[in-house]
Amino acid sequence: MKYSFLSFLLFLSCLSARAQVIKGQLVDENSQPVEFANIVLYSLPDSAYVQGVVSDAQGAFALNRYDGQGVLRITSIGYLSQYRECDGKDVGVIKLLPDVHMLGEVVVKSTLPRTRVKGDAMLTTVAGTVLEKAGTADNLLDKIPNVSSNNGSVSVFGRGTPEIYINKRKVYDSSELDRLAADNIKSVEVVSNPGAQYGSEVKAVIRITTKKAPGDGLGLNSRTMARYNKEWSFLEQLNFNYHTGGWDIQGMLYGWSGKSWSKKYLVQQTYLEQYWKQISETDSKSSGKDVSGMLALNYALNEKHSLGIRYDLSRNPGSEYTYHVPTTVYQDGLFNEESDSRNREYVQSTNHQMNFYYNGECGEWEMDFNADWLWKKNNNNSRIAEKSRFADEQIENRLISTFAENDNSLYAAKMVFAHPLFGGKLSFGGEYAFTRRTNLYLNPEGILNDDHSKIEEAGASFFAEYRRSFGEVNVQAGVRYENVAFDYFEKDERKDEQSKKYSDFFPSVAVSFPVGKVQFMLNYASDISRPSYSQLRGNITYVNQYSYESGNPFLKPTLTHNFILGTVYRWINFSGGFQHVEDDMVFTSGAYSEDEPKIALIKRVNVPAYNKLFASLTFSPVIGIWRPMFSGRIMKQWYEADTPQGYRNLDNVLGMLSWKNSLELPGGFVLNADVVYRTRGDVQNQRMMQDMWQMSMSVYKECFNKKLSFLLRGTDLFDTGKNKVKMYAGAVRMMELTEEPNSRSVSLTVRYKFNSTKSKYKGTGAGESQKNRM
């Protein structure tokens, strides 16, 4: 019955005639559309507020017909405000002029580039700015306020890893950012507190909008990369698009072969009846290959209806990891034993993923449907040879072999509707996902117990979100409900104690408004972090003879309440937030057993609630050919850690400073020079024990009408990206870790583009939270 009623509503909406409106379009001095400008209609002669709207991506706007005399006030950050008489007729094309001001002796255009508030996001315009010369989307994101990006690892300050969308389509793997050229990007939106339309586990969202496709035909985009950091790595990639009429075919072939290395120094102190101290050095190397491909087909029936299907395949045919770990153990200050551990690990994985979508409009109704399927399998074989020498000079040799296999599958569907309501827009919808993961772990020597477990999870969610503008004030409010049933099995027998059910509401609200030339954004949202399937496993895995690692089927999700304030004034950007964190999941370490006090059992546990504050201030003017960006960030927590010396407050401030520069040089060269500095401070149960800084530089050059480009990049040039951390891992153990990663590297990327176009594929995906947990 309810489906018939909904169909009836859609039918009526399709037949209904649209109300008469007053139309107009906003453009800049280059006749390019100006989106997200505020247009407010006031009546005359009393100047009473009548209605307000925001311009769309084409700069167009439409107001309900007004028969009286009125005046339009048009405002947008970076442009001079304009007033136009309104007598009920269309106003045509209105050109906005840039707001130019002086910085000392230098003219600064706040429109090149500009960051401003747009609803629930901070939007940075890329098109027409020096940011187009950043090279790739990965390089570009590192120059967006409050965003850090390096080799596909993206983080939003204070919020962590974001979900990323390109033209409303969810990014499936981080290499997509490296495949997208910065000069094909129109704008970037950063959402630090996502609303109800996103899953409750989404901490932040980055929405990338590309420029309009140049037209039909075949487009190619190839990339070759070589990188050196003590070892060589190589990458080859070919993307193609073919547009004709309403058809759009997109494909990708990708191959990577690389090597890496790192060193770690670990000191573990265990306080039991005896005092144990273990000093270890880990020298690790890896070599691997990765091949992947993608094929997508999209068909647009007309401007209002499109559908498509996309298939992704990735295959790791074999990666090899070697670890050399010499360790010395002391008991009450006296030598107890030393060991030499050599581990060789071999990993294979295969990942299949498919998405189908339909996107359409019927009258004033908008519909978006997505269905996803995923299958992923991992195999891990390891062989560890250990030699130990004890205080009495006895020698012991042993061999440990392990085999692990994980099999994951997912089925998910999502439906979203949107419709105008009371001068705003109401969005609502639901999502369902079912996942299954099997875990097989074998140790033939019997040192650890074998494991054959299974996890099944069914989750349903519903959301509703309403947006409306009241003049220059934009309001967004929503709520999301999620119901999740988690079942844990050992050898096909359900374990009631580990199995769980969750039922939660997640409200959100965002308000944005200007005060003079300053834009403000206030929002609140709650989010949840559910344990990954690996963290929930029941088995213990072997690291070396002194360290075992296990999952924890009793882990509870982490719930966070977030309050965030953002402001923008010309080229000055400030954001700050308060977070209340409940049941955070942190690493802890204790003795494996009373009989084996030297062996550390490492796992995650939930900790009591605590609070956090963070703040960021960014200056990003454009001064002639120079675009500097200065950022200062601080984080402070009120966290109480359990330590061998009793409870200790970890509340030292962690600070970060960055100075990033882009220079447009003669001959079409762009020089980038970036310096990043991080102070000591506390994060969760970890204390950063030393300051750290890095410097990176790159040179970018385009030629042959932008068809061919070169990017020469040096990362961590002075090899200073080292880290020293003290971890308070429970009441009996402390750990000090010094890391020397392979962060210093030099790379050359050559890219050739021919009629490169953006894909028309509009699938947004379903079951994203479950995919991430796999």
Side-chain angles (χ1 to χ4, degrees):
M1 180 67 183
K2 59 183 179 182
Y3 296 109
S4 299
F5 179 69
L6 179 58
S7 301
F8 179 70
L9 287 178
L10 291 173
F11 177 74
L12 289 180
S13 298
C14 291
L15 296 179
S16 62
R18 296 182 180 271
Q20 292 184 333
V21 293
I22 303 170
K23 296 180 180 180
Q25 184 187 25
L26 306 178
V27 298
D28 62 15
E29 71 275 23
N30 298 315
S31 298
Q32 294 298 310
V34 177
E35 57 181 329
F36 315 125
N38 289 298
I39 303 96
V40 182
L41 174 62
Y42 298 96
S43 64
L44 292 177
D46 55 2
S47 296
Y49 169 79
V50 178
Q51 57 183 299
V53 295
V54 177
S55 60
D56 63 17
Q58 287 71 46
F61 64 89
L63 295 159
N64 293 333
R65 180 69 67 187
Y66 179 68
D67 295 328
Q69 290 295 315
V71 62
L72 292 176
R73 181 174 184 257
I74 304 166
T75 58
S76 181
I77 293 297
Y79 297 94
L80 296 172
S81 299
Q82 286 204 27
Y83 293 85
R84 287 293 181 95
E85 291 185 1
C86 178
D87 57 3
K89 300 178 182 179
D90 292 345
V91 295
V93 178
I94 301 174
K95 181 173 290 189
L96 300 184
L97 300 177
D99 185 3
V100 180
H101 57 283
M102 300 297 294
L103 178 63
E105 297 292 327
V106 183
V107 175
V108 179
K109 284 189 176 183
S110 56
T111 57
L112 294 175
R114 64 182 184 273
T115 296
R116 52 200 170 97
V117 173
K118 176 215 164 185
D120 60 346
M122 290 289 186
L123 180 141
T124 299
T125 299
V126 177
T129 77
V130 71
L131 293 179
E132 289 185 315
K133 309 296 183 181
T136 67
D138 186 31
N139 306 142
L140 167 67
L141 289 180
D142 200 48
K143 298 182 179 298
I144 300 297
N146 293 323
V147 179
S148 300
S149 180
N150 183 28
N151 292 327
S153 177
V154 183
S155 177
V156 175
F157 176 67
R159 302 296 288 131
T161 304
E163 274 195 356
I164 301 175
Y165 292 82
I166 299 176
N167 296 327
K168 299 184 180 180
R169 180 185 61 80
K170 174 77 165 58
V171 169
Y172 291 88
D173 64 85
S174 59
S175 67
E176 288 196 55
L177 297 175
D178 207 27
R179 298 196 296 264
L180 176 62
D183 62 4
N184 193 33
I185 295 176
K186 180 180 180 181
S187 63
V188 176
E189 300 173 56
V190 180
V191 184
S192 297
N193 226 5
Q197 63 179 302
Y198 298 100
S200 61
E201 295 189 60
V202 179
K203 311 296 183 185
V205 171
I206 292 178
R207 299 189 290 246
I208 298 173
T209 302
T210 63
K211 298 177 182 177
K212 185 178 180 180
D216 288 346
L218 177 66
L220 298 176
N221 189 328
S222 68
R223 178 173 60 127
T224 300
M225 186 273 287
R227 184 180 66 211
Y228 181 78
N229 56 347
K230 289 192 177 181
E231 300 282 357
W232 283 99
S233 297
F234 300 95
L235 181 151
E236 288 284 350
Q237 179 187 321
L238 174 66
N239 288 66
F240 71 87
N241 285 80
Y242 181 72
H243 297 273
T244 177
W247 291 96
D248 174 38
I249 303 174
Q250 179 187 23
M252 182 271 293
L253 294 173
Y254 173 92
W256 173 86
S257 176
K259 297 181 179 181
S260 63
W261 63 272
S262 67
K263 280 192 175 182
K264 296 180 181 181
Y265 304 89
L266 177 65
V267 177
Q268 299 185 67
Q269 301 176 74
T270 306
Y271 297 84
L272 297 170
E273 292 184 7
Q274 294 85 27
Y275 167 65
W276 298 87
K277 185 175 183 179
Q278 298 161 256
I279 303 174
S280 303
E281 177 183 335
T282 302
D283 188 355
S284 63
K285 297 180 180 180
S286 68
S287 62
K289 295 178 174 63
D290 183 34
V291 292
S292 59
M294 179 273 295
L295 185 64
L297 178 65
N298 181 86
Y299 180 66
L301 286 75
N302 50 47
E303 292 183 356
K304 297 183 178 181
H305 300 275
S306 62
L307 52 86
I309 188 168
R310 170 171 170 151
Y311 171 72
D312 290 77
L313 167 66
S314 61
R315 168 73 174 161
N316 177 357
S319 295
E320 188 174 63
Y321 303 85
T322 60
Y323 307 91
H324 179 211
V325 188
T327 303
T328 305
V329 181
Y330 299 90
Q331 178 184 351
D332 292 330
L334 301 176
F335 173 78
N336 180 266
E337 68 175 279
E338 65 180 9
S339 72
D340 187 271
S341 175
R342 296 178 183 270
N343 182 5
R344 186 177 297 274
E345 190 174 339
Y346 189 73
V347 178
Q348 291 179 308
S349 66
T350 304
N351 187 351
H352 300 268
Q353 184 164 304
M354 185 173 289
N355 168 257
F356 169 80
Y357 88 91
Y358 165 74
N359 185 280
E361 296 180 27
C362 189
E364 294 187 327
W365 284 93
E366 298 175 13
M367 294 158 284
D368 184 55
F369 173 77
N370 277 264
D372 274 60
W373 167 79
L374 179 146
W375 179 77
K376 183 176 183 179
K377 187 174 184 178
N378 300 307
N379 291 325
N380 185 311
N381 292 277
S382 71
R383 185 178 178 87
I384 305 171
E386 295 180 337
K387 181 178 181 179
S388 300
R389 182 180 68 86
F390 299 95
D392 58 5
E393 298 300 327
Q394 289 190 24
I395 304 295
E396 179 183 286
N397 293 287
R398 63 174 174 173
L399 187 68
I400 301 96
S401 56
T402 64
F403 171 77
E405 180 181 276
N406 303 121
D407 199 329
N408 304 271
S409 59
L410 172 142
Y411 307 90
K414 180 176 68 174
M415 186 70 180
V416 179
F417 296 96
H419 191 276
L421 182 67
F422 302 131
K425 177 175 284 189
L426 174 67
S427 301
F428 61 94
E431 183 173 2
Y432 177 81
F434 176 81
T435 57
R436 177 184 289 114
R437 174 188 173 97
T438 60
N439 181 60
L440 177 65
Y441 184 83
L442 304 175
N443 173 222
E445 293 80 13
I447 297 173
L448 299 173
N449 293 329
D450 294 342
D451 175 68
H452 190 181
S453 59
K454 181 174 67 174
I455 292 173
E456 290 185 351
E457 183 175 285
S461 60
F462 305 92
F463 83 92
E465 190 170 75
Y466 182 70
R467 302 186 182 200
R468 184 176 176 182
S469 297
F470 299 90
E472 296 182 334
V473 179
N474 298 290
V475 179
Q476 173 184 318
V479 64
R480 186 180 183 91
Y481 170 74
E482 294 187 349
N483 184 278
V484 179
F486 173 87
D487 294 313
Y488 183 84
F489 301 84
E490 288 184 3
K491 294 183 178 179
D492 294 326
E493 181 182 348
R494 186 179 185 274
K495 299 297 181 181
D496 293 338
E497 194 171 9
Q498 287 99 322
S499 300
K500 306 174 180 69
K501 288 187 177 181
Y502 306 106
S503 182
D504 301 284
F505 285 93
F506 301 93
S508 62
V509 61
V511 181
S512 60
F513 54 90
V515 177
K517 292 188 176 182
V518 182
Q519 286 191 315
F520 288 85
M521 179 177 63
L522 292 165
N523 56 42
Y524 161 80
S526 60
D527 60 62
I528 197 167
S529 296
R530 296 190 175 93
S532 70
Y533 297 145
S534 176
Q535 294 166 356
L536 289 168
R537 75 184 193 280
N539 69 295
I540 297 174
T541 57
Y542 192 90
V543 180
N544 58 49
Q545 68 182 85
Y546 306 111
S547 300
Y548 296 171
E549 192 265 334
S550 76
N552 181 0
F554 302 99
L555 273 178
K556 295 185 291 185
T558 300
L559 180 65
T560 306
H561 299 274
N562 308 281
F563 301 85
I564 296 179
L565 164 68
T567 65
V568 176
Y569 174 69
R570 298 188 186 273
W571 37 264
I572 302 173
N573 179 291
F574 170 81
S575 66
F578 169 82
Q579 296 175 319
H580 178 72
V581 186
E582 300 174 4
D583 293 317
D584 202 2
M585 296 174 283
V586 302
F587 275 111
T588 188
S589 174
Y592 175 63
S593 67
E594 293 183 1
D595 297 331
E596 298 286 355
K598 293 178 292 185
I599 301 176
L601 180 61
I602 304 169
K603 64 179 181 180
R604 288 183 183 266
V605 298
N606 296 111
V607 296
Y610 65 99
N611 297 321
K612 294 196 298 184
L613 282 176
F614 62 89
S616 171
L617 183 62
T618 301
F619 301 87
S620 54
V622 175
I623 307 173
I625 65 171
W626 177 35
R627 183 191 186 274
M629 185 172 76
F630 306 91
S631 294
R633 306 171 182 175
I634 59 170
M635 290 194 298
K636 180 178 174 62
Q637 64 177 17
W638 287 265
Y639 183 95
E640 192 175 50
D642 192 7
T643 78
Q645 291 77 34
Y647 282 94
R648 171 175 294 187
N649 291 324
L650 299 184
D651 53 8
N652 290 332
V653 173
L654 183 72
M656 285 160 281
L657 299 172
S658 67
W659 181 23
K660 301 180 180 181
N661 303 270
S662 294
L663 286 167
E664 292 189 275
L665 303 176
F669 288 91
V670 177
L671 174 66
N672 291 278
D674 304 333
V675 179
V676 179
Y677 173 79
R678 194 212 66 209
T679 70
R680 307 177 187 189
D682 298 332
V683 179
Q684 290 184 322
N685 61 336
Q686 302 177 38
R687 173 157 289 173
M688 308 298 169
M689 300 296 291
Q690 66 183 27
D691 298 349
M692 185 272 287
W693 70 281
Q694 287 183 319
M695 182 175 181
S696 301
M697 296 185 69
S698 68
V699 178
Y700 180 77
K701 167 65 176 174
E702 292 179 333
C703 50
F704 300 114
N705 196 26
K706 298 184 179 181
K707 292 181 179 179
L708 185 65
S709 66
F710 301 87
L711 178 65
L712 178 63
R713 184 177 180 87
T715 304
D716 191 15
L717 295 176
F718 297 97
D719 197 22
T720 52
K722 299 175 173 62
N723 197 25
K724 186 175 182 180
V725 181
K726 177 179 285 187
M727 179 186 292
Y728 296 95
V732 299
R733 190 179 295 268
M734 286 195 307
M735 307 165 69
E736 290 189 11
L737 176 66
T738 302
E739 297 177 293
E740 295 183 2
N742 59 336
S743 55
R744 180 163 63 175
S745 66
V746 177
S747 66
L748 175 64
T749 302
V750 181
R751 184 188 299 269
Y752 175 74
K753 298 184 295 182
F754 168 74
N755 192 30
S756 183
T757 63
K758 72 176 182 181
S759 172
K760 297 178 182 178
Y761 196 83
K762 300 179 181 180
T764 58
E768 298 303 328
S769 296
Q770 286 83 348
K771 292 176 191 175
N772 295 334
R773 294 171 67 202
M774 290 179 178

